[in-house]
Amino acid sequence: MSYSTEPIVIEPSVLTLLDAGTVEVLRTGQKLTLPGPMVWHAWGPLEGPVILLLHGGSGSWMHWIRNIAPLVAQGHRVLAVDLPGFGDSAAPAQGGDVDALIEPLHAAWQMLKGPNLDAAFVGFSFGGMTAALWLAAYPEDAKQLVMVGSPGLGLTVPDRMPLKGWRHLPTEALQAEAHRHNLMALMLKHERSLDDLAMAVHAANVKRDRMPRRRLSSTPIVAGALPQIQCPLHVIYGEGDALYKGRWLEVQALFKAQAPHLTSWHLVPDSGHWVQYERTDAFQLALLACTAETAALSPNK
């Protein structure tokens, strides 16, 4: 596979690693409840500890484009799925929101994981919602969960900047202007973070969003699922995340009250919602701390 298509500009060493990955395309004939394929990407040593990355809404595996190389360098086997309805994966035949993804993802995981595979699920934003609902329904599917910038808590910030529509705009320049606005309104804290790669990734992702009418993120659906999660749970947010900026005491209190296996809480300073992109190094340190804390809880230690 190749990720070198312009206009996405990636460091040569990272591009080499990404190109060395593999793609697994699961079809409907393989017991998936989808009308088309589900696409999974993989990098790193086959024997390494597995991390499954679940991207955000209107996204694809590329939400993690800055994180795959560091994880592989740490020895991980990295899997990244294009969630149903996004990237190169087909949308569910029925349902247009997060609750429609759980059964096809679980079915795919049973086919892919093989015997005795322990994995950490790391879900960003909509992917954090997805992972929480998935593990509430199937607690045995992962050994730990890291929720990054997850919505679905039933909390709001009244002065959030509204997003702009872009599909109706007649020129690429006008669409790009809307993309820049939306990235700064929701995803990023600093203008300097809105580089060519962020723009290219976002533009490529939103064009392939086939589930644009999602509404469950504004409900407490994740808060209601937290008590059913049986594995160690870690939470990471960017301190300037537009979803909950200024409400961190309430957010942390909610997780402490609702999640019986909450293990750690990390607030990454100087970052917005897309924390793993905007503050990659700080995010990787927080994620490493999460995996270390789970390892310390293991009965084999």
Side-chain angles (χ1 to χ4, degrees), residues 127-190:
M129 292 179 59
T130 303
L133 297 183
W134 180 353
L135 294 182
Y138 298 100
E140 70 282 359
D141 277 2
K143 68 175 182 179
Q144 67 174 310
L145 170 60
V146 183
M147 297 175 64
V148 182
S150 179
L153 303 181
L155 300 173
T156 61
V157 175
D159 59 348
R160 272 185 59 190
M161 188 181 300
L163 301 180
K164 292 183 177 180
W166 61 273
R167 294 182 186 273
H168 67 288
L169 298 174
T171 68
E172 290 187 2
L174 289 173
Q175 291 178 7
E177 183 179 334
H179 294 332
R180 283 190 290 270
H181 169 87
N182 292 341
L183 280 164
M184 293 310 305
L186 175 60
M187 299 290 274
L188 301 169
K189 179 178 180 179
H190 297 290

Tab-separated table of all heavy atoms in Angstrom, residues 127-190:
chain	number	residue	atom	x	y	z
A	127	GLY	N	-14.314	7.473	18.221
A	127	GLY	CA	-13.730	6.157	18.444
A	127	GLY	C	-13.677	5.775	19.907
A	127	GLY	O	-13.739	4.589	20.253
A	128	GLY	N	-13.552	6.773	20.801
A	128	GLY	CA	-13.636	6.492	22.227
A	128	GLY	C	-15.032	6.080	22.631
A	128	GLY	O	-15.228	5.157	23.442
A	129	MET	N	-16.029	6.742	22.071
A	129	MET	CA	-17.414	6.317	22.279
A	129	MET	C	-17.610	4.886	21.812
A	129	MET	O	-18.200	4.048	22.503
A	129	MET	CB	-18.379	7.216	21.500
A	129	MET	CG	-18.489	8.629	21.958
A	129	MET	SD	-19.646	9.555	20.902
A	129	MET	CE	-21.147	8.621	21.096
A	130	THR	N	-17.123	4.614	20.604
A	130	THR	CA	-17.277	3.285	20.014
A	130	THR	C	-16.641	2.226	20.896
A	130	THR	O	-17.247	1.182	21.181
A	130	THR	CB	-16.642	3.254	18.618
A	130	THR	OG1	-17.232	4.264	17.795
A	130	THR	CG2	-16.819	1.896	17.962
A	131	ALA	N	-15.408	2.482	21.323
A	131	ALA	CA	-14.703	1.507	22.145
A	131	ALA	C	-15.411	1.279	23.472
A	131	ALA	O	-15.488	0.147	23.966
A	131	ALA	CB	-13.270	1.964	22.372
A	132	ALA	N	-15.940	2.352	24.075
A	132	ALA	CA	-16.640	2.209	25.351
A	132	ALA	C	-17.893	1.343	25.205
A	132	ALA	O	-18.142	0.430	26.008
A	132	ALA	CB	-17.005	3.589	25.902
A	133	LEU	N	-18.692	1.597	24.171
A	133	LEU	CA	-19.898	0.793	23.955
A	133	LEU	C	-19.534	-0.644	23.590
A	133	LEU	O	-20.207	-1.599	24.003
A	133	LEU	CB	-20.749	1.422	22.861
A	133	LEU	CG	-21.314	2.816	23.136
A	133	LEU	CD1	-22.188	3.268	21.984
A	133	LEU	CD2	-22.088	2.847	24.436
A	134	TRP	N	-18.475	-0.803	22.797
A	134	TRP	CA	-18.012	-2.137	22.388
A	134	TRP	C	-17.627	-2.956	23.617
A	134	TRP	O	-18.067	-4.109	23.782
A	134	TRP	CB	-16.829	-1.953	21.452
A	134	TRP	CG	-16.179	-3.190	20.900
A	134	TRP	CD1	-16.434	-4.495	21.232
A	134	TRP	CD2	-15.157	-3.234	19.897
A	134	TRP	NE1	-15.623	-5.338	20.519
A	134	TRP	CE2	-14.844	-4.590	19.690
A	134	TRP	CE3	-14.484	-2.241	19.185
A	134	TRP	CZ2	-13.856	-4.982	18.782
A	134	TRP	CZ3	-13.513	-2.636	18.277
A	134	TRP	CH2	-13.207	-3.990	18.070
A	135	LEU	N	-16.814	-2.384	24.509
A	135	LEU	CA	-16.340	-3.150	25.658
A	135	LEU	C	-17.388	-3.259	26.756
A	135	LEU	O	-17.307	-4.158	27.599
A	135	LEU	CB	-15.050	-2.538	26.190
A	135	LEU	CG	-13.868	-2.646	25.234
A	135	LEU	CD1	-12.614	-2.060	25.845
A	135	LEU	CD2	-13.622	-4.101	24.825
A	136	ALA	N	-18.370	-2.364	26.759
A	136	ALA	CA	-19.503	-2.564	27.663
A	136	ALA	C	-20.308	-3.785	27.246
A	136	ALA	O	-20.810	-4.542	28.089
A	136	ALA	CB	-20.386	-1.320	27.681
A	137	ALA	N	-20.417	-4.000	25.926
A	137	ALA	CA	-21.165	-5.159	25.416
A	137	ALA	C	-20.328	-6.430	25.418
A	137	ALA	O	-20.853	-7.530	25.649
A	137	ALA	CB	-21.658	-4.865	24.000
A	138	TYR	N	-19.021	-6.306	25.158
A	138	TYR	CA	-18.130	-7.467	25.048
A	138	TYR	C	-16.875	-7.203	25.869
A	138	TYR	O	-15.804	-6.924	25.325
A	138	TYR	CB	-17.777	-7.730	23.583
A	138	TYR	CG	-18.974	-8.058	22.722
A	138	TYR	CD1	-19.553	-7.081	21.906
A	138	TYR	CD2	-19.545	-9.328	22.738
A	138	TYR	CE1	-20.663	-7.377	21.129
A	138	TYR	CE2	-20.651	-9.626	21.965
A	138	TYR	CZ	-21.203	-8.645	21.164
A	138	TYR	OH	-22.310	-8.942	20.391
A	139	PRO	N	-16.965	-7.310	27.191
A	139	PRO	CA	-15.837	-6.930	28.059
A	139	PRO	C	-14.582	-7.752	27.826
A	139	PRO	O	-13.477	-7.288	28.133
A	139	PRO	CB	-16.395	-7.177	29.472
A	139	PRO	CG	-17.878	-7.173	29.326
A	139	PRO	CD	-18.156	-7.714	27.963
A	140	GLU	N	-14.719	-8.943	27.273
A	140	GLU	CA	-13.569	-9.821	27.096
A	140	GLU	C	-12.722	-9.462	25.884
A	140	GLU	O	-11.648	-10.045	25.682
A	140	GLU	CB	-14.047	-11.268	26.952
A	140	GLU	CG	-14.787	-11.589	25.661
A	140	GLU	CD	-16.234	-11.130	25.590
A	140	GLU	OE1	-16.715	-10.545	26.591
A	140	GLU	OE2	-16.883	-11.366	24.544
A	141	ASP	N	-13.127	-8.500	25.086
A	141	ASP	CA	-12.436	-8.227	23.825
A	141	ASP	C	-11.139	-7.435	23.993
A	141	ASP	O	-10.347	-7.367	23.046
A	141	ASP	CB	-13.364	-7.481	22.857
A	141	ASP	CG	-14.289	-8.432	22.102
A	141	ASP	OD1	-14.228	-9.644	22.370
A	141	ASP	OD2	-15.062	-7.966	21.242
A	142	ALA	N	-10.905	-6.810	25.140
A	142	ALA	CA	-9.677	-6.029	25.322
A	142	ALA	C	-9.203	-6.141	26.761
A	142	ALA	O	-10.000	-6.353	27.688
A	142	ALA	CB	-9.890	-4.565	24.956
A	143	LYS	N	-7.909	-5.951	26.952
A	143	LYS	CA	-7.333	-6.003	28.302
A	143	LYS	C	-7.281	-4.630	28.942
A	143	LYS	O	-7.131	-4.521	30.165
A	143	LYS	CB	-5.946	-6.612	28.274
A	143	LYS	CG	-4.886	-5.751	27.583
A	143	LYS	CD	-3.504	-6.375	27.704
A	143	LYS	CE	-2.435	-5.480	27.050
A	143	LYS	NZ	-1.089	-6.069	27.176
A	144	GLN	N	-7.369	-3.563	28.143
A	144	GLN	CA	-7.457	-2.217	28.693
A	144	GLN	C	-8.057	-1.290	27.650
A	144	GLN	O	-8.044	-1.578	26.453
A	144	GLN	CB	-6.097	-1.697	29.140
A	144	GLN	CG	-5.099	-1.460	28.035
A	144	GLN	CD	-3.825	-0.815	28.561
A	144	GLN	OE1	-3.866	0.187	29.277
A	144	GLN	NE2	-2.683	-1.387	28.209
A	145	LEU	N	-8.584	-0.165	28.128
A	145	LEU	CA	-9.199	0.836	27.261
A	145	LEU	C	-8.625	2.203	27.594
A	145	LEU	O	-8.569	2.594	28.768
A	145	LEU	CB	-10.715	0.845	27.452
A	145	LEU	CG	-11.496	1.998	26.805
A	145	LEU	CD1	-11.308	2.015	25.293
A	145	LEU	CD2	-12.978	1.915	27.173
A	146	VAL	N	-8.205	2.912	26.561
A	146	VAL	CA	-7.775	4.304	26.698
A	146	VAL	C	-8.738	5.150	25.875
A	146	VAL	O	-8.817	5.009	24.656
A	146	VAL	CB	-6.331	4.515	26.213
A	146	VAL	CG1	-5.905	5.966	26.454
A	146	VAL	CG2	-5.373	3.550	26.911
A	147	MET	N	-9.465	6.029	26.550
A	147	MET	CA	-10.412	6.918	25.884
A	147	MET	C	-9.766	8.291	25.744
A	147	MET	O	-9.345	8.892	26.733
A	147	MET	CB	-11.716	7.003	26.682
A	147	MET	CG	-12.446	5.665	26.784
A	147	MET	SD	-13.918	5.738	27.852
A	147	MET	CE	-14.952	6.886	26.935
A	148	VAL	N	-9.695	8.777	24.506
A	148	VAL	CA	-9.005	10.025	24.198
A	148	VAL	C	-10.030	11.030	23.666
A	148	VAL	O	-10.638	10.812	22.613
A	148	VAL	CB	-7.896	9.802	23.144
A	148	VAL	CG1	-7.158	11.106	22.870
A	148	VAL	CG2	-6.938	8.700	23.584
A	149	GLY	N	-10.254	12.111	24.401
A	149	GLY	CA	-11.162	13.154	23.919
A	149	GLY	C	-12.571	12.672	23.656
A	149	GLY	O	-13.226	13.143	22.715
A	150	SER	N	-13.066	11.777	24.483
A	150	SER	CA	-14.365	11.153	24.184
A	150	SER	C	-15.539	12.072	24.512
A	150	SER	O	-15.609	12.651	25.594
A	150	SER	CB	-14.511	9.860	24.977
A	150	SER	OG	-15.765	9.260	24.713
A	151	PRO	N	-16.511	12.182	23.593
A	151	PRO	CA	-17.793	12.819	23.902
A	151	PRO	C	-18.739	11.797	24.522
A	151	PRO	O	-18.323	10.745	24.984
A	151	PRO	CB	-18.276	13.287	22.535
A	151	PRO	CG	-17.721	12.259	21.599
A	151	PRO	CD	-16.409	11.784	22.191
A	152	GLY	N	-20.025	12.116	24.533
A	152	GLY	CA	-21.021	11.172	25.015
A	152	GLY	C	-21.186	11.155	26.515
A	152	GLY	O	-21.670	10.177	27.079
A	153	LEU	N	-20.816	12.262	27.196
A	153	LEU	CA	-20.922	12.314	28.651
A	153	LEU	C	-22.155	13.075	29.126
A	153	LEU	O	-22.426	13.121	30.326
A	153	LEU	CB	-19.670	12.967	29.243
A	153	LEU	CG	-18.341	12.301	28.894
A	153	LEU	CD1	-17.193	13.046	29.572
A	153	LEU	CD2	-18.331	10.825	29.272
A	154	GLY	N	-22.874	13.696	28.208
A	154	GLY	CA	-24.046	14.463	28.605
A	154	GLY	C	-23.724	15.839	29.147
A	154	GLY	O	-24.583	16.492	29.747
A	155	LEU	N	-22.500	16.299	28.948
A	155	LEU	CA	-22.080	17.633	29.373
A	155	LEU	C	-21.872	18.504	28.138
A	155	LEU	O	-21.447	18.002	27.097
A	155	LEU	CB	-20.780	17.568	30.178
A	155	LEU	CG	-20.805	16.730	31.455
A	155	LEU	CD1	-19.412	16.634	32.044
A	155	LEU	CD2	-21.780	17.316	32.466
A	156	THR	N	-22.122	19.778	28.253
A	156	THR	CA	-21.970	20.686	27.114
A	156	THR	C	-21.196	21.932	27.538
A	156	THR	O	-21.121	22.266	28.716
A	156	THR	CB	-23.333	21.111	26.537
A	156	THR	OG1	-24.075	21.793	27.558
A	156	THR	CG2	-24.122	19.905	26.046
A	157	VAL	N	-20.638	22.593	26.538
A	157	VAL	CA	-20.005	23.900	26.723
A	157	VAL	C	-20.818	24.879	25.884
A	157	VAL	O	-20.786	24.816	24.643
A	157	VAL	CB	-18.527	23.874	26.277
A	157	VAL	CG1	-17.927	25.265	26.356
A	157	VAL	CG2	-17.726	22.898	27.129
A	158	PRO	N	-21.553	25.785	26.497
A	158	PRO	CA	-22.525	26.592	25.741
A	158	PRO	C	-21.905	27.538	24.718
A	158	PRO	O	-22.561	27.903	23.743
A	158	PRO	CB	-23.258	27.372	26.837
A	158	PRO	CG	-22.351	27.340	28.022
A	158	PRO	CD	-21.614	26.044	27.945
A	159	ASP	N	-20.658	27.946	24.916
A	159	ASP	CA	-20.073	28.922	23.998
A	159	ASP	C	-19.187	28.287	22.939
A	159	ASP	O	-18.320	28.947	22.364
A	159	ASP	CB	-19.272	29.977	24.771
A	159	ASP	CG	-18.143	29.355	25.604
A	159	ASP	OD1	-18.127	28.122	25.749
A	159	ASP	OD2	-17.295	30.121	26.103
A	160	ARG	N	-19.391	27.002	22.640
A	160	ARG	CA	-18.601	26.353	21.596
A	160	ARG	C	-18.842	27.004	20.242
A	160	ARG	O	-19.968	27.345	19.884
A	160	ARG	CB	-18.967	24.864	21.487
A	160	ARG	CG	-18.173	23.953	22.400
A	160	ARG	CD	-18.503	22.507	22.144
A	160	ARG	NE	-18.228	22.135	20.759
A	160	ARG	CZ	-18.606	20.981	20.221
A	160	ARG	NH1	-19.289	20.116	20.948
A	160	ARG	NH2	-18.306	20.711	18.973
A	161	MET	N	-17.770	27.152	19.488
A	161	MET	CA	-17.871	27.746	18.158
A	161	MET	C	-18.549	26.751	17.214
A	161	MET	O	-18.145	25.587	17.141
A	161	MET	CB	-16.464	28.073	17.631
A	161	MET	CG	-16.457	28.867	16.333
A	161	MET	SD	-14.764	29.196	15.755
A	161	MET	CE	-14.129	30.121	17.159
A	162	PRO	N	-19.586	27.152	16.482
A	162	PRO	CA	-20.268	26.221	15.583
A	162	PRO	C	-19.405	25.869	14.376
A	162	PRO	O	-18.581	26.660	13.920
A	162	PRO	CB	-21.523	26.992	15.162
A	162	PRO	CG	-21.158	28.432	15.337
A	162	PRO	CD	-20.221	28.494	16.499
A	163	LEU	N	-19.605	24.651	13.875
A	163	LEU	CA	-18.909	24.203	12.676
A	163	LEU	C	-19.636	24.713	11.435
A	163	LEU	O	-20.823	25.023	11.468
A	163	LEU	CB	-18.835	22.679	12.649
A	163	LEU	CG	-18.132	22.015	13.835
A	163	LEU	CD1	-18.131	20.499	13.667
A	163	LEU	CD2	-16.722	22.541	14.017
A	164	LYS	N	-18.897	24.755	10.327
A	164	LYS	CA	-19.455	25.220	9.065
A	164	LYS	C	-19.640	24.061	8.099
A	164	LYS	O	-18.796	23.176	8.005
A	164	LYS	CB	-18.531	26.263	8.423
A	164	LYS	CG	-18.436	27.579	9.164
A	164	LYS	CD	-17.561	28.571	8.411
A	164	LYS	CE	-17.517	29.917	9.112
A	164	LYS	NZ	-16.666	30.889	8.365
A	165	GLY	N	-20.755	24.075	7.360
A	165	GLY	CA	-20.938	23.123	6.280
A	165	GLY	C	-20.006	23.436	5.125
A	165	GLY	O	-19.634	24.594	4.902
A	166	TRP	N	-19.654	22.396	4.371
A	166	TRP	CA	-18.700	22.619	3.273
A	166	TRP	C	-19.102	21.913	1.982
A	166	TRP	O	-18.669	22.303	0.898
A	166	TRP	CB	-17.305	22.122	3.679
A	166	TRP	CG	-17.264	20.645	3.976
A	166	TRP	CD1	-17.523	20.042	5.170
A	166	TRP	CD2	-16.989	19.598	3.053
A	166	TRP	NE1	-17.428	18.673	5.045
A	166	TRP	CE2	-17.098	18.374	3.749
A	166	TRP	CE3	-16.652	19.571	1.701
A	166	TRP	CZ2	-16.896	17.141	3.145
A	166	TRP	CZ3	-16.450	18.340	1.087
A	166	TRP	CH2	-16.574	17.144	1.811
A	167	ARG	N	-19.940	20.891	2.050
A	167	ARG	CA	-20.253	20.096	0.852
A	167	ARG	C	-20.952	20.915	-0.231
A	167	ARG	O	-20.828	20.611	-1.420
A	167	ARG	CB	-21.105	18.878	1.232
A	167	ARG	CG	-20.379	17.874	2.113
A	167	ARG	CD	-21.253	16.668	2.431
A	167	ARG	NE	-20.605	15.766	3.383
A	167	ARG	CZ	-19.773	14.784	3.048
A	167	ARG	NH1	-19.495	14.570	1.768
A	167	ARG	NH2	-19.237	14.011	3.977
A	168	HIS	N	-21.682	21.935	0.162
A	168	HIS	CA	-22.427	22.744	-0.807
A	168	HIS	C	-21.572	23.811	-1.466
A	168	HIS	O	-22.027	24.453	-2.424
A	168	HIS	CB	-23.596	23.419	-0.098
A	168	HIS	CG	-23.170	24.454	0.902
A	168	HIS	ND1	-22.578	24.105	2.108
A	168	HIS	CD2	-23.213	25.819	0.884
A	168	HIS	CE1	-22.295	25.206	2.787
A	168	HIS	NE2	-22.665	26.255	2.069
A	169	LEU	N	-20.369	24.024	-0.977
A	169	LEU	CA	-19.553	25.130	-1.479
A	169	LEU	C	-19.001	24.797	-2.858
A	169	LEU	O	-18.537	23.674	-3.102
A	169	LEU	CB	-18.420	25.429	-0.490
A	169	LEU	CG	-18.895	25.882	0.893
A	169	LEU	CD1	-17.726	26.014	1.851
A	169	LEU	CD2	-19.669	27.199	0.798
A	170	PRO	N	-18.993	25.755	-3.780
A	170	PRO	CA	-18.738	25.438	-5.190
A	170	PRO	C	-17.266	25.316	-5.562
A	170	PRO	O	-16.962	24.793	-6.636
A	170	PRO	CB	-19.367	26.630	-5.928
A	170	PRO	CG	-19.280	27.764	-4.955
A	170	PRO	CD	-19.467	27.143	-3.598
A	171	THR	N	-16.337	25.794	-4.719
A	171	THR	CA	-14.925	25.743	-5.106
A	171	THR	C	-14.103	25.086	-4.013
A	171	THR	O	-14.476	25.090	-2.828
A	171	THR	CB	-14.363	27.153	-5.357
A	171	THR	OG1	-14.317	27.876	-4.114
A	171	THR	CG2	-15.211	27.902	-6.370
A	172	GLU	N	-12.947	24.544	-4.409
A	172	GLU	CA	-12.043	23.933	-3.437
A	172	GLU	C	-11.517	24.973	-2.451
A	172	GLU	O	-11.281	24.663	-1.282
A	172	GLU	CB	-10.889	23.244	-4.152
A	172	GLU	CG	-11.302	21.990	-4.902
A	172	GLU	CD	-10.109	21.239	-5.467
A	172	GLU	OE1	-8.956	21.686	-5.239
A	172	GLU	OE2	-10.323	20.205	-6.126
A	173	ALA	N	-11.321	26.207	-2.919
A	173	ALA	CA	-10.826	27.252	-2.028
A	173	ALA	C	-11.825	27.546	-0.911
A	173	ALA	O	-11.446	27.704	0.258
A	173	ALA	CB	-10.535	28.520	-2.824
A	174	LEU	N	-13.098	27.635	-1.249
A	174	LEU	CA	-14.117	27.873	-0.234
A	174	LEU	C	-14.247	26.678	0.706
A	174	LEU	O	-14.439	26.842	1.917
A	174	LEU	CB	-15.462	28.178	-0.895
A	174	LEU	CG	-15.566	29.535	-1.599
A	174	LEU	CD1	-16.886	29.636	-2.366
A	174	LEU	CD2	-15.441	30.678	-0.586
A	175	GLN	N	-14.148	25.471	0.159
A	175	GLN	CA	-14.186	24.290	1.007
A	175	GLN	C	-13.003	24.266	1.967
A	175	GLN	O	-13.149	23.938	3.156
A	175	GLN	CB	-14.203	23.027	0.142
A	175	GLN	CG	-15.494	22.847	-0.636
A	175	GLN	CD	-15.476	21.612	-1.521
A	175	GLN	OE1	-14.558	20.801	-1.472
A	175	GLN	NE2	-16.503	21.470	-2.350
A	176	ALA	N	-11.821	24.627	1.461
A	176	ALA	CA	-10.630	24.655	2.315
A	176	ALA	C	-10.792	25.678	3.440
A	176	ALA	O	-10.367	25.441	4.580
A	176	ALA	CB	-9.393	24.970	1.478
A	177	GLU	N	-11.420	26.812	3.134
A	177	GLU	CA	-11.675	27.819	4.170
A	177	GLU	C	-12.570	27.259	5.267
A	177	GLU	O	-12.338	27.483	6.467
A	177	GLU	CB	-12.316	29.043	3.535
A	177	GLU	CG	-12.563	30.189	4.507
A	177	GLU	CD	-13.180	31.402	3.834
A	177	GLU	OE1	-12.981	31.578	2.613
A	177	GLU	OE2	-13.864	32.168	4.537
A	178	ALA	N	-13.594	26.504	4.867
A	178	ALA	CA	-14.478	25.877	5.854
A	178	ALA	C	-13.727	24.821	6.660
A	178	ALA	O	-13.921	24.707	7.881
A	178	ALA	CB	-15.684	25.251	5.155
A	179	HIS	N	-12.879	24.047	6.009
A	179	HIS	CA	-12.091	23.040	6.727
A	179	HIS	C	-11.193	23.689	7.774
A	179	HIS	O	-11.068	23.186	8.904
A	179	HIS	CB	-11.245	22.235	5.745
A	179	HIS	CG	-12.025	21.381	4.797
A	179	HIS	ND1	-13.267	20.872	5.100
A	179	HIS	CD2	-11.718	20.932	3.535
A	179	HIS	CE1	-13.706	20.156	4.073
A	179	HIS	NE2	-12.795	20.176	3.121
A	180	ARG	N	-10.548	24.792	7.400
A	180	ARG	CA	-9.689	25.486	8.359
A	180	ARG	C	-10.492	25.981	9.559
A	180	ARG	O	-10.060	25.845	10.715
A	180	ARG	CB	-8.968	26.657	7.678
A	180	ARG	CG	-7.788	26.231	6.805
A	180	ARG	CD	-6.964	27.428	6.363
A	180	ARG	NE	-7.683	28.245	5.396
A	180	ARG	CZ	-7.620	28.066	4.077
A	180	ARG	NH1	-6.864	27.101	3.565
A	180	ARG	NH2	-8.288	28.854	3.266
A	181	HIS	N	-11.660	26.556	9.272
A	181	HIS	CA	-12.519	27.015	10.362
A	181	HIS	C	-12.874	25.858	11.289
A	181	HIS	O	-12.785	25.982	12.526
A	181	HIS	CB	-13.799	27.635	9.804
A	181	HIS	CG	-14.844	27.883	10.860
A	181	HIS	ND1	-14.901	29.040	11.605
A	181	HIS	CD2	-15.867	27.087	11.312
A	181	HIS	CE1	-15.899	28.966	12.469
A	181	HIS	NE2	-16.503	27.794	12.308
A	182	ASN	N	-13.291	24.734	10.718
A	182	ASN	CA	-13.745	23.611	11.533
A	182	ASN	C	-12.614	22.989	12.331
A	182	ASN	O	-12.816	22.571	13.485
A	182	ASN	CB	-14.413	22.565	10.634
A	182	ASN	CG	-15.721	23.067	10.057
A	182	ASN	OD1	-16.320	24.017	10.574
A	182	ASN	ND2	-16.171	22.455	8.973
A	183	LEU	N	-11.421	22.915	11.739
A	183	LEU	CA	-10.283	22.383	12.478
A	183	LEU	C	-9.962	23.248	13.696
A	183	LEU	O	-9.656	22.728	14.777
A	183	LEU	CB	-9.062	22.269	11.564
A	183	LEU	CG	-9.048	21.054	10.647
A	183	LEU	CD1	-8.015	21.232	9.531
A	183	LEU	CD2	-8.752	19.781	11.438
A	184	MET	N	-10.041	24.549	13.541
A	184	MET	CA	-9.755	25.433	14.671
A	184	MET	C	-10.926	25.496	15.652
A	184	MET	O	-10.726	25.711	16.848
A	184	MET	CB	-9.409	26.837	14.177
A	184	MET	CG	-8.101	26.925	13.405
A	184	MET	SD	-6.686	26.150	14.257
A	184	MET	CE	-6.718	26.986	15.846
A	185	ALA	N	-12.137	25.312	15.175
A	185	ALA	CA	-13.299	25.354	16.066
A	185	ALA	C	-13.376	24.128	16.957
A	185	ALA	O	-13.819	24.224	18.114
A	185	ALA	CB	-14.581	25.476	15.238
A	186	LEU	N	-12.958	22.975	16.457
A	186	LEU	CA	-13.125	21.733	17.207
A	186	LEU	C	-11.821	21.011	17.507
A	186	LEU	O	-11.593	20.575	18.636
A	186	LEU	CB	-14.049	20.780	16.432
A	186	LEU	CG	-14.216	19.381	17.041
A	186	LEU	CD1	-14.807	19.463	18.442
A	186	LEU	CD2	-15.073	18.495	16.142
A	187	MET	N	-10.949	20.877	16.525
A	187	MET	CA	-9.867	19.901	16.627
A	187	MET	C	-8.583	20.438	17.258
A	187	MET	O	-7.891	19.704	17.962
A	187	MET	CB	-9.557	19.360	15.233
A	187	MET	CG	-10.718	18.640	14.570
A	187	MET	SD	-11.091	17.061	15.354
A	187	MET	CE	-9.935	15.985	14.492
A	188	LEU	N	-8.220	21.663	16.984
A	188	LEU	CA	-6.904	22.175	17.351
A	188	LEU	C	-7.023	23.432	18.221
A	188	LEU	O	-7.990	24.190	18.104
A	188	LEU	CB	-6.090	22.501	16.097
A	188	LEU	CG	-5.846	21.328	15.134
A	188	LEU	CD1	-5.271	21.833	13.810
A	188	LEU	CD2	-4.928	20.289	15.765
A	189	LYS	N	-6.007	23.654	19.036
A	189	LYS	CA	-5.976	24.848	19.879
A	189	LYS	C	-5.203	25.981	19.225
A	189	LYS	O	-5.589	27.147	19.342
A	189	LYS	CB	-5.348	24.510	21.233
A	189	LYS	CG	-5.256	25.707	22.173
A	189	LYS	CD	-4.671	25.321	23.511
A	189	LYS	CE	-4.606	26.553	24.429
A	189	LYS	NZ	-4.053	26.219	25.767
A	190	HIS	N	-4.099	25.666	18.546
A	190	HIS	CA	-3.194	26.682	18.034
A	190	HIS	C	-3.210	26.727	16.511
A	190	HIS	O	-3.197	25.685	15.856
A	190	HIS	CB	-1.767	26.417	18.511
A	190	HIS	CG	-1.597	26.491	19.990
A	190	HIS	ND1	-1.678	27.673	20.691
A	190	HIS	CD2	-1.365	25.511	20.911
A	190	HIS	CE1	-1.492	27.435	21.985
A	190	HIS	NE2	-1.302	26.139	22.141
